[in-house]
Amino acid sequence: MANIEFRNVTKVYEPMNKKTKRFKAVDNFNLEIQEGEFIIFVGPSGCGKSTTLRMIAGLEEITDGEISIDGTIVNKVHPKDRNIAMVFQNYALYPHMTVFENMAFSLKLKHVPKEEIRKKVNEAATILGITALLDRKPKALSGGQRQRVALGRAIVRNPAVFLMDEPLSNLDAKLRVQMRTEITNLHKRLNATVIYVTHDQVEAMTMGTRIVVMEGGVIQQIASPNELYRQPSNMFVAGFIGSPAMNFFNGRAIKDKDGIKVSISGFKLLLPAEKAKAVEDGGYLEQEVIVGVRPEHIRYAADIPEINARYQRIEVKAGIVENLGSEELIYFWIEDKQYCAKSSDTDLKSGDAVSLAIDLEKIHVFDPKSKLTISN
């Protein structure tokens, strides 16, 4: 296990020729990772997450700043001397070697005694359930089996840090779910420090102890899965975490006898006390704001036994209705913008009038210019 610290880390790619521009892939990245943490770097393609992982591994040079592992600055340390193991998206197995030989290869390079190699490989194979595969070559394995071999190759090295770069992206949906669980259990069993890169926010939410959300090379928020979901720091995080994505309504903050509301085309949402105070204290009365509501917090009104003051009814027409088996997604339009709500199994069809209930306790309010959450 190891702790890792990033201090003002920046990565800039200089132009290769006159036609290309200088590109800042990672900008002023600061983070402390404690021993035994499972940290997820998540964000859209091109956000800098894989570049950051590769800088830890020593596969990318750092333009500015420092990375330290267990207090030792590793900027100039060769990758093989960093005591890390990396699991790649494409497995990176040697096709001419057996599973045993693939897993043992790094140990042979270090001249580890044969008996110790055999012991370590067998222990890792037992943990991963691939003992019966040790004599096979990669071409005879399924995608999930190859990924287990790649994990086993990392385990036998007993590294201070495991680095995983989108290791499940080549697997089918069912196998991804299974491997998510296996990797999570593996982390608990080894009590290892893991840094895991993914663009899949479901992987991030289900696996990480803390999540680093990135966009444009910049950290947007670092928090636990629950905090990211419940208290996003800005609209990017709010929209990226959650599926389907959060709905965003443009409105205007007003005050009347009932309290502070946000006036949106066709209806008004009464803000709960804490958010109302933040809006008023921030000087947003009579100003434009953006209200965010997740689809699961806009429900088919018939699904809610008692519609009380916590809920705001709105009347809309159903657009597309997607049946997911256990629930349905109801898409609806307000003016020229589409939104999404959730319901239990219904017989709704496109064009039907539908009554929806918005949970006022679950709404978020954002500054339309800075895109930051308006809070106290």
Side-chain angles (χ1 to χ4, degrees):
M1 294 190 299
N3 53 47
I4 302 169
E5 186 174 357
F6 298 81
R7 291 184 289 272
N8 306 316
V9 172
T10 296
K11 174 62 181 179
V12 177
Y13 292 100
E14 298 296 339
M16 300 293 291
N17 52 55
K18 292 181 179 179
K19 294 183 179 180
T20 58
K21 296 181 180 180
R22 192 171 186 263
F23 175 63
K24 187 177 285 187
V26 178
D27 187 8
N28 198 34
F29 190 100
N30 288 277
L31 174 66
E32 289 187 30
I33 300 173
Q34 303 302 317
E35 288 188 4
E37 276 200 279
F38 196 131
I39 294 290
I40 305 279
F41 293 168
V42 68
S45 297
C47 72
K49 55 189 185 294
S50 289
T51 301
T52 305
L53 196 77
R54 290 172 64 84
M55 285 192 286
I56 304 169
L59 303 178
E60 292 281 359
E61 289 188 3
I62 299 167
T63 305
D64 197 12
E66 295 176 342
I67 296 177
S68 64
I69 300 177
D70 276 342
T72 300
I73 297 172
V74 296
N75 291 35
K76 302 298 182 182
V77 176
H78 195 276
K80 68 181 179 63
D81 298 322
R82 295 191 182 198
N83 195 20
I84 57 94
M86 194 159 181
V87 180
F88 295 93
Q89 175 181 347
N90 60 359
Y91 320 128
L93 302 177
Y94 296 108
H96 63 287
M97 294 183 182
T98 65
V99 168
F100 182 94
E101 291 167 340
N102 266 284
M103 292 173 64
F105 187 69
S106 63
L107 300 180
K108 286 183 178 179
L109 290 179
K110 294 181 178 179
H111 305 292
V112 176
K114 287 185 178 180
E115 202 52 46
E116 188 176 345
I117 290 176
R118 185 169 298 279
K119 180 182 177 183
K120 287 188 174 184
V121 170
N122 285 332
E123 285 177 352
T126 300
I127 290 172
L128 295 165
I130 56 173
T131 302
L133 308 178
L134 290 176
D135 293 329
R136 296 189 192 179
K137 291 186 177 179
K139 66 180 180 181
L141 305 178
S142 67
Q145 289 169 336
R146 292 180 190 181
Q147 194 54 270
R148 287 185 181 89
V149 176
L151 287 168
R153 185 175 53 189
I155 291 170
V156 298
R157 296 179 59 184
N158 192 27
V161 184
F162 287 87
L163 305 179
M164 301 189 184
D165 191 4
E166 304 208 41
L168 307 184
S169 60
N170 287 339
L171 305 180
D172 62 52
K174 183 178 180 180
L175 195 51
R176 279 203 304 271
V177 173
Q178 180 184 339
M179 287 301 297
R180 281 206 314 258
T181 304
E182 290 189 15
I183 291 175
T184 301
N185 288 335
L186 185 63
H187 166 251
K188 292 176 180 177
R189 182 167 181 170
L190 299 177
N191 197 24
T193 303
V194 178
I195 304 175
Y196 186 106
V197 162
T198 182
H199 65 275
D200 185 334
Q201 52 99 6
V202 175
E203 282 183 22
M205 293 293 285
T206 55
M207 297 174 74
T209 51
R210 278 195 301 160
I211 301 173
V212 180
V213 183
M214 298 181 66
E215 201 270 329
V218 177
I219 294 175
Q220 301 295 313
Q221 189 170 357
I222 305 169
S224 68
N226 278 341
E227 186 178 346
L228 282 181
Y229 179 82
R230 296 171 182 170
Q231 299 174 328
S233 63
N234 57 41
M235 285 181 65
F236 175 81
V237 176
F240 189 81
I241 299 297
S243 181
M246 181 180 284
N247 299 294
F248 294 109
F249 299 90
N250 295 314
R252 187 177 185 85
I254 60 173
K255 188 173 186 178
D256 64 18
K257 60 182 179 63
D258 297 320
I260 295 175
K261 300 177 180 178
V262 177
S263 178
I264 299 165
S265 298
F267 60 94
K268 297 174 183 177
L269 293 179
L270 179 66
L271 297 182
E274 185 179 347
K275 292 183 174 67
K277 187 176 188 307
V279 166
E280 186 167 26
D281 290 351
Y284 289 95
L285 287 180
E286 301 302 329
Q287 302 294 319
E288 299 298 316
V289 295
I290 295 175
V291 170
V293 191
R294 298 193 183 281
E296 53 267 38
H297 300 143
I298 307 177
R299 303 293 303 186
Y300 185 42
D303 290 344
I304 302 172
E306 183 181 347
I307 300 292
N308 53 34
R310 174 173 172 166
Y311 297 94
Q312 169 70 56
R313 276 184 184 268
I314 60 172
E315 308 297 327
V316 299
K317 278 190 176 181
I320 295 172
V321 180
E322 294 182 341
N323 191 324
L324 304 180
S326 61
E327 62 185 3
E328 291 181 339
L329 301 180
I330 303 170
Y331 292 91
F332 60 97
W333 292 83
I334 295 177
E335 293 186 337
D336 59 348
K337 192 171 180 181
Q338 181 176 261
Y339 302 94
C340 180
K342 285 190 176 182
S343 77
S344 61
D345 189 21
T346 69
D347 293 322
L348 285 175
K349 297 179 181 61
S350 179
D352 286 353
V354 57
S355 180
L356 301 176
I358 298 177
D359 187 342
L360 299 176
E361 294 294 330
K362 302 291 187 177
I363 65 177
H364 303 265
V365 189
F366 304 94
D367 184 304
K369 293 180 181 178
S370 69
K371 311 300 182 185
L372 296 176
T373 301
I374 299 172
S375 67
N376 292 321

